Amino acid sequence: MSSEGVSRKRRRWIAGGLAVGLALAAFGFVSAFANSGSSPGGNEPSTTPIKHLVVIFQENESFDHYFGTYPIAKNPGNEPAFTAAPGSPTVNGLSQQLLEANPNQFNPRRLSRGEAVTCDMDHGYTDEQKAYDAGLVDKFPEFTASHECEKGLVMDYYDGNTVTGLWNLAQHFALNDNSFGTQFGPSTPGAINLVSGETHGAVPASSPGLSENGTDIGDGDPKFDLCGKEALEMTGKNIGDLLNKNNVTWGWFQGGFAPTGESNGKPVCGSTHKNVANATVTDYSPHHNPFEYYKSTANPRHRAPESEALIGHSEPGQPEGGANHEYDISAFDEAVKHENLPAVSFVKAAEYQDGHPGYSDPLDEQAFIAEKLDELEHSNQWESTAVVIAYDDSDGWYDHVMPPIVSPSESASDALTAPGSCRPVADQENGTPLPAINSHCGFGPRQPLLVLSPYARQNYVDNTLTDQSSITRFIEENWQTGHTGETSMANKAGTLSNMFDFEAGAPKAPKVFLDPANGEITGEEGGKAGDEGDDEGGDHGHGHGSGDGDHGSGNSGGHGSKNHEKVHCAVNGHGRQVELNCSVGGGKGRGAVRFRIERGHKVFGTSRAAIKGAKASATVDTKGSLAGKYTLLATVSRTDGVDALSQSVSLPGKGSVNLH
């Protein structure tokens, strides 16, 4: 192409461009509310039916890398099959021309399920801009390919035979194909933009190269995290500050946050897991935790909450504010299990499950998402919950859509349109340039964004222009918190509202249960209009997947209950079902029983039944035929309180058990 042709093409783009005893927990719970004035369980007033927002914030994927050929998968015989529902919408993905005659040095190639573990690509602030080449989008192998792998790998993509779970969720809920990182660069800017929409105000404690012009562009550890290297501080406000000011419960839950010991007076976050490639990976990454960069929301010593019931609440009487809304991922599991979910929850997987190429992968990531969704969908709080799955950066993977430049920058590290410049040419020519926040060139690369909720539009692809700070905007508007700052990108972010259907009488999206191993759908449930889950209804079956935290059996004890319940169940286990016929006594008022069958850390099935005439009957569908000793947990909920009771049971076979 001639230089004149290149110039015309550039201008066309630019012109458009913890568990404790329940009785003690209940006491702490009541005390906290008396002191804080906040309300329990994330029931704070909201402007939509969403009372609980769960943001699963994953790592390093571009949209084309995961959804480039959606909804068409190759379906080889040795991989989980994916077949789209008739009439499924398409996305702005990889056309036949892009697949066969790509302007880059290499054509995109489909990666098989056997290639789930790959190298980590170059996703630096400057190199990503160079890869987009002022709108030509033709320099990815030169600038963002991994130095450890072949250059062409950066162009490659997965389809629904590997990212099967995410494609199945997109079939049943809402997917956005026009969502971008708020700015170019790696994990830390993406994480900070998620919670504030603003990476300006960075103060380096060490390694000055981590920031430029007072703006974060690198991956320095948080200054206020004693499990890290204390490299960078952020000033200003984040969404946690606003939620605290408005007495809205919230929490950041991250894998590996709980210390494994202490060294030289500092906590050590040393827990590890093995990924699918059998590599040992440290769970906790300090620079993936945005709230530790702000002194106001940091938990430097990684303190646990005083009690499980205080998850999501401030603890002003504790040293350094107690947990200060920062928790291990196991705290999220406990909050869901006891239906004490905060209004806003940010969920960060341990590194081996966060999807980050190099040490994680789509298969480990899929298992995490399936397990967390399973927990939430078996909670009575699901009916007022929305889950957002989003990503911190693109890892440098190829994506064919040039980001619109809504935040120009002119600094030494910029290189999008010219050395030292990230500013649309048309913007320069028309004499009315947009104001720049130097070193905050954005939007950055396009990334996946999904919304899962009973209120999500079903099998829907949204084209609304959004970015990471759109999540901040949704929180600000839904709980009317005010704004994090005048220059926050959240102030002009696109809305997530188009991915929901809040119209009265609109059909609710059904629950979808995924197999964590292969991402295939193991069952669906619900989907009717109007409210669900009252005492006459019930969640029957689909106890698929295992929890990531400690699903202990729980001892008898009150959680606000004045009358200790007595439950006697006739248990009949056969095949993949367990029948429970129970008598319930000791409590007063209307109520229901939630049943859970578990062993160790795994949940094998759940169900729910209304209490009618002091009796409750349920059938628990299980993932497989059960044999041996299990724990049957019954949580009795009445208008006057809750009791959690458990007892060991032998399955299969007939028998009876008194829960206490």
Side-chain angles (χ1 to χ4, degrees):
M1 182 181 291
S2 68
S3 59
E4 182 180 356
V6 170
S7 178
R8 281 199 302 269
K9 186 172 182 181
R10 291 174 195 261
R11 281 169 171 74
R12 279 199 301 271
W13 157 66
I14 290 165
L18 357 172
V20 295
L22 288 176
L24 292 176
F27 176 77
F29 199 42
V30 173
S31 298
F33 299 140
N35 293 331
S36 71
S38 59
S39 55
N43 290 321
E44 294 81 359
S46 59
T47 60
T48 74
I50 303 304
K51 306 296 183 184
H52 307 277
L53 180 70
V54 178
V55 181
I56 299 178
F57 200 54
Q58 294 293 94
E59 291 284 316
N60 295 51
E61 305 296 346
S62 74
F63 185 88
D64 277 346
H65 188 57
Y66 265 14
F67 286 96
T69 65
Y70 179 85
I72 305 300
K74 185 176 181 180
N75 286 337
N78 61 341
E79 297 182 7
F82 177 88
T83 302
S88 292
T90 58
V91 298
N92 181 3
L94 297 171
S95 66
Q96 205 64 30
Q97 182 176 1
L98 289 171
L99 289 169
E100 297 177 357
N102 197 282
N104 281 269
Q105 183 181 352
F106 301 92
N107 287 328
R109 179 182 67 92
R110 176 188 179 274
L111 295 169
S112 71
R113 183 178 170 88
E115 299 172 283
V117 179
T118 69
C119 296
D120 180 18
M121 300 297 138
D122 180 352
H123 45 293
Y125 177 80
T126 302
D127 285 344
E128 283 190 345
Q129 293 184 44
K130 290 180 177 179
Y132 282 93
D133 193 18
L136 298 181
V137 198
D138 61 356
K139 298 294 183 184
F140 279 79
E142 289 87 345
F143 292 109
T144 62
S146 169
H147 299 298
E148 301 174 0
C149 290
E150 60 185 51
K151 281 190 173 183
L153 181 65
V154 74
M155 301 293 297
D156 297 344
Y157 64 93
Y158 296 106
D159 68 11
N161 307 131
T162 299
V163 287
T164 315
L166 288 175
W167 278 38
N168 276 321
L169 292 176
Q171 285 277 288
H172 290 80
F173 299 106
L175 169 70
N176 184 295
D177 72 345
N178 200 27
S179 189
F180 298 83
T182 306
Q183 74 184 77
F184 285 96
S187 293
T188 296
I192 293 173
N193 278 313
L194 170 72
V195 302
S196 69
E198 173 73 275
T199 58
H200 194 63
V203 180
S206 62
S207 303
L210 297 172
S211 64
E212 183 179 61
N213 299 308
T215 307
D216 173 48
I217 59 172
D219 267 348
D221 283 354
K223 176 181 178 180
F224 303 107
D225 194 329
L226 295 180
C227 277
K229 297 179 181 178
E230 306 170 53
L232 189 73
E233 174 184 359
M234 288 300 300
T235 58
K237 294 180 181 180
N238 62 60
I239 194 64
D241 296 317
L242 301 184
L243 293 170
N244 285 339
K245 182 179 179 180
N246 288 274
N247 292 322
V248 179
T249 55
W250 70 279
W252 173 272
F253 304 88
Q254 185 165 347
F257 188 82
T260 54
E262 189 172 293
S263 177
N264 297 322
K266 294 183 178 181
V268 175
C269 298
S271 64
T272 63
H273 280 87
K274 289 188 176 182
N275 64 18
V276 295
N278 205 36
T280 299
V281 182
T282 300
D283 290 337
Y284 183 67
S285 175
H287 77 268
H288 290 170
N289 185 341
F291 291 107
E292 293 285 80
Y293 290 90
Y294 298 83
K295 186 175 183 179
S296 59
T297 53
N299 180 359
R301 304 199 63 84
H302 292 228
R303 299 181 185 275
E306 182 70 9
S307 75
E308 179 271 328
L310 290 175
I311 292 171
H313 299 270
S314 299
E315 300 178 90
Q318 298 300 312
E320 298 178 334
N324 201 21
H325 302 273
E326 305 274 326
Y327 311 103
D328 188 74
I329 193 70
S330 59
F332 179 78
D333 300 327
E334 289 299 310
V336 175
K337 180 177 178 179
H338 295 125
E339 301 198 349
N340 185 32
L341 193 62
V344 179
S345 301
F346 298 93
V347 177
K348 192 73 179 179
E351 285 200 295
Y352 81 108
Q353 288 186 318
D354 67 13
H356 193 303
Y359 56 74
S360 185
D361 57 274
L363 303 183
D364 281 309
E365 176 187 18
Q366 176 175 267
F368 177 80
I369 292 172
E371 290 164 0
K372 292 296 165 257
L373 185 60
D374 184 87
E375 291 179 21
L376 289 165
E377 288 183 318
H378 281 103
S379 166
N380 288 329
Q381 294 181 310
W382 173 251
E383 299 307 323
S384 58
T385 294
V387 177
V388 175
I389 300 175
Y391 290 80
D392 65 344
D393 65 67
S394 72
D395 201 61
W397 292 107
Y398 171 66
D399 188 274
H400 79 281
V401 176
M402 177 62 213
I405 300 305
V406 299
S407 175
S409 173
E410 293 176 323
S411 64
S413 294
D414 289 312
L416 182 68
T417 47
S421 178
C422 164
R423 181 180 286 283
V425 172
D427 187 41
Q428 295 172 325
E429 291 175 346
N430 64 23
T432 56
L434 294 170
I437 299 177
N438 284 340
S439 306
H440 194 282
C441 174
F443 292 151
R446 192 172 59 141
Q447 300 164 352
L449 177 72
L450 297 97
V451 168
L452 326 174
S453 173
Y455 293 95
R457 296 186 185 275
Q458 301 176 51
N459 197 7
Y460 181 78
V461 174
D462 182 30
N463 310 124
T464 304
L465 178 62
T466 61
D467 70 292
Q468 291 157 331
S469 71
S470 295
I471 300 171
T472 310
R473 175 186 169 182
F474 181 86
I475 297 170
E476 291 175 344
E477 292 179 349
N478 198 50
W479 284 279
Q480 298 179 299
T481 64
H483 302 296
T484 55
E486 291 183 4
T487 58
S488 170
M489 295 291 286
N491 296 339
K492 53 184 176 182
T495 180
L496 301 184
S497 297
N498 295 330
M499 301 176 78
F500 294 95
D501 188 351
F502 294 127
E503 290 293 326
K508 300 291 184 64
K511 300 176 183 178
V512 176
F513 301 94
L514 301 178
D515 187 321
N518 58 32
E520 294 180 333
I521 295 174
T522 59
E524 298 179 37
E525 182 181 299
K528 66 180 181 180
D531 295 331
E532 300 178 5
D534 58 16
D535 286 345
E536 299 303 317
D539 297 335
H540 286 285
H542 307 297
H544 306 291
S546 59
D548 188 41
D550 181 10
H551 294 284
S553 60
N555 298 316
S556 62
H559 188 80
S561 177
K562 299 178 181 179
N563 302 285
H564 180 65
E565 300 281 1
K566 297 178 181 179
V567 179
H568 175 79
C569 294
V571 182
N572 184 11
H574 53 89
R576 296 164 64 99
Q577 291 186 329
V578 178
E579 295 179 355
L580 303 171
N581 292 289
C582 309
S583 61
V584 186
K588 297 179 180 179
R590 298 172 62 234
V593 186
R594 287 182 293 113
F595 296 100
R596 183 191 295 263
I597 296 174
E598 53 190 43
R599 182 164 65 186
H601 295 283
K602 291 188 176 181
V603 179
F604 291 88
T606 65
S607 189
R608 180 178 181 273
I611 301 172
K612 299 178 181 179
K615 294 187 180 298
S617 298
T619 299
V620 183
D621 294 336
T622 61
K623 186 175 182 181
S625 297
L626 305 187
K629 292 282 188 180
Y630 296 81
T631 296
L632 173 62
L633 175 69
T635 302
V636 183
S637 303
R638 292 190 187 267
T639 53
D640 65 343
V642 177
D643 257 353
L645 314 108
S646 66
Q647 183 67 45
S648 177
V649 295
S650 294
L651 298 171
K654 296 182 178 180
S656 61
V657 60
N658 289 299
L659 279 72
H660 55 77

